[in-house]
Amino acid sequence: MRFFRLNNVFEKKSIITISMLIFFFFGSVLTHGDDRADFYVTPNLPKSQLADSENYFNVLLAPHTKESLKLTLINAKNEPLTINVTAHTAYTNNNGVVEYGKDADTPDASLNWSIAALLATPGIVKLKANETKTIDITLTMPKELFSGVLAGGIRLQKVKESEGSEEVSEETDKSQQLSIENEFAYVIGEVARNEQESMSPDLTLLDVFPDQLNYRNVFSATIHNSLPTYVNQLTVEAKIKRKGSNDILYQTKKETMQMAPNSSLDFPISLAGDSFKSGSYVAEISASSGENTWEWTKAFTVKSDEAKAFNQSDVTIDHSLKWWWIIPVVMISLLSIIVLLLVKQRNLNHMTQNN
């Protein structure tokens, strides 16, 4: 498992992007920003907060109870600000990092309760110049007792009103009058549980298939965490072979990854610039987390149309004409034609002489 990480990207332009990726249990969340930050956020921890966490919400609550999660917002500018407050359910990206500030493209089928649906945020919050304001986010726990944890994040991002929004009719949705300014965002983690007992993870390999990552060919192995628990300090090693062969075509190993509760990891095995070739393959994959280990072997097929489509869009593959082999082919063809013409002419001459 990783400690929390704070990424600061300051461009030379006027855009500042600050995102906070929160890693739980062994770290705390840092909620300060750069001197140029427009606003600051501090969580006010409730009585239900567990003692081993200080700067993100980690609450122990009974089923069907509510908790008010308070955040203090400070406008550091001498002008009004508008902040958009949204809730999200944690998932695992293909780098083996847990995402808290946005949603997965598709919710995991094993997820019984999405914490984003259990959190009621105020949505749009307006701050006056240099104003300090405390907002409430209401967490409503599921009616049924559950084991493990629910995990997600509360994202706070500056928005700006579109030009001419004063002239927009009252019936127009406010969200259409606001646009995200990719300047400054906080993500405050949220973990909720009914009981403190830990749960051992259980991983399965769902699929292996041809794929692309950043327009580069990869084999993706979908590893699924079906339980409501984190998978910490995850190591995955994958080998790809042709079916019936012991030769390793491609191999990848990555350590210190983390998986969110009830989520999948599409683990990429790079082709290192090679083209996909259609045919039957076998993936041998091993994973470990603490004392837990898993091993899988899975056969899969790359279809010719898939290989062609991926190869055409891979930016590392040279799609220009290969003159080094085209020129010899053309020369051989020309020589063949010349030889055939000479033989034909010789035969004609021979026939003329006989007549």
Side-chain angles (χ1 to χ4, degrees):
M1 173 184 175
R2 298 187 180 189
F3 289 76
F4 72 92
R5 186 174 65 180
L6 176 63
N7 293 328
N8 291 326
V9 181
F10 299 109
E11 299 183 4
K12 292 183 178 180
K13 298 178 180 180
S14 61
I15 298 177
I16 305 170
T17 302
I18 298 181
S19 61
M20 301 182 65
L21 300 178
I22 305 134
F23 297 86
F24 299 103
F25 309 122
F26 290 98
S28 60
V29 177
L30 196 62
T31 57
H32 72 270
D34 182 79
D35 289 340
R36 290 173 288 176
D38 288 343
F39 69 100
Y40 301 92
V41 180
T42 303
N44 302 323
L45 305 180
K47 293 181 179 179
S48 59
Q49 181 82 8
L50 294 175
D52 62 346
S53 48
E54 298 179 354
N55 291 312
Y56 63 92
F57 295 116
N58 186 8
V59 296
L60 176 66
L61 294 167
H64 202 38
T65 57
K66 293 185 178 184
E67 181 66 277
S68 177
L69 308 177
K70 298 182 183 296
L71 293 172
T72 297
L73 281 57
I74 301 175
N75 183 359
K77 297 296 182 180
N78 294 321
E79 58 187 30
L81 288 180
T82 301
I83 310 297
N84 190 31
V85 184
T86 55
H88 304 274
T89 298
Y91 72 96
T92 308
N93 67 24
N94 51 26
N95 290 315
V97 176
V98 178
E99 296 275 7
Y100 297 94
K102 52 186 178 181
D103 296 318
D105 293 335
T106 303
D108 194 274
S110 68
L111 190 65
N112 291 324
W113 296 283
S114 169
I115 198 168
L118 304 175
L119 290 166
T121 67
I124 299 299
V125 176
K126 293 184 179 293
L127 297 176
K128 299 175 182 178
N130 302 116
E131 181 183 10
T132 297
K133 179 184 288 187
T134 298
I135 62 172
D136 289 328
I137 294 99
T138 302
L139 169 63
T140 304
M141 295 293 281
K143 294 180 181 180
E144 297 85 2
L145 178 73
F146 67 87
S147 300
V149 299
L150 304 177
I154 302 165
R155 181 183 181 88
L156 302 98
Q157 186 163 10
K158 178 185 174 182
V159 297
K160 64 178 180 180
E161 295 191 10
S162 300
E163 294 181 4
S165 61
E166 300 85 1
E167 300 175 3
V168 178
S169 63
E170 294 181 2
E171 289 78 12
T172 303
D173 192 295
K174 283 186 178 181
S175 62
Q176 297 177 359
Q177 302 177 35
L178 299 169
S179 60
I180 296 294
E181 263 191 0
N182 208 15
E183 290 186 351
F184 195 93
Y186 276 107
V187 177
I188 306 298
E190 163 58 17
V191 174
R193 69 191 80 203
N194 288 152
E195 49 194 22
Q196 288 189 265
E197 287 75 11
S198 60
M199 177 184 293
S200 296
D202 184 23
L203 300 181
T204 55
L205 177 64
L206 296 183
D207 196 11
V208 182
F209 54 95
D211 197 7
Q212 281 197 342
L213 182 62
N214 297 326
Y215 299 99
R216 289 163 174 81
N217 288 346
V218 298
F219 292 106
S220 285
T222 303
I223 299 172
H224 186 224
N225 173 24
S226 61
L227 297 179
T229 185
Y230 282 91
V231 183
N232 300 316
Q233 289 294 333
L234 175 64
T235 297
V236 176
E237 183 173 10
K239 301 174 183 178
I240 302 294
K241 303 177 181 179
R242 275 281 188 180
K243 189 174 183 179
S245 172
N246 290 323
D247 296 336
I248 299 173
L249 299 176
Y250 307 102
Q251 184 173 4
T252 301
K253 182 178 181 180
K254 192 170 183 180
E255 302 175 331
T256 62
M257 294 184 292
Q258 185 186 39
M259 290 186 69
N262 301 104
S263 68
S264 292
L265 163 64
D266 282 342
F267 184 76
I269 304 106
S270 174
L271 271 67
D274 288 350
S275 300
F276 277 120
K277 295 178 177 61
S278 61
S280 298
Y281 295 84
V282 173
E284 296 177 354
I285 301 174
S286 61
S288 63
S289 172
E291 298 180 353
N292 301 290
T293 58
W294 301 268
E295 291 186 355
W296 307 285
T297 300
K298 191 171 185 65
F300 65 99
T301 301
V302 177
K303 298 179 180 179
S304 58
D305 57 342
E306 291 178 318
K308 183 178 180 180
F310 283 127
N311 292 339
Q312 287 178 343
S313 58
D314 188 316
V315 295
T316 64
I317 296 176
D318 184 7
H319 299 287
S320 60
L321 291 174
K322 305 297 189 295
W323 293 107
W324 60 269
W325 65 264
I326 291 178
I327 292 175
V329 169
V330 172
M331 291 181 66
I332 292 171
S333 299
L334 289 174
L335 287 173
S336 299
I337 293 172
I338 292 171
V339 170
L340 288 172
L341 290 173
L342 290 173
V343 170
K344 185 177 181 180
Q345 184 63 41
R346 180 182 177 183
N347 291 336
L348 288 172
N349 293 337
H350 183 70
M351 291 174 65
T352 301
Q353 290 175 1
N354 289 337
N355 291 333

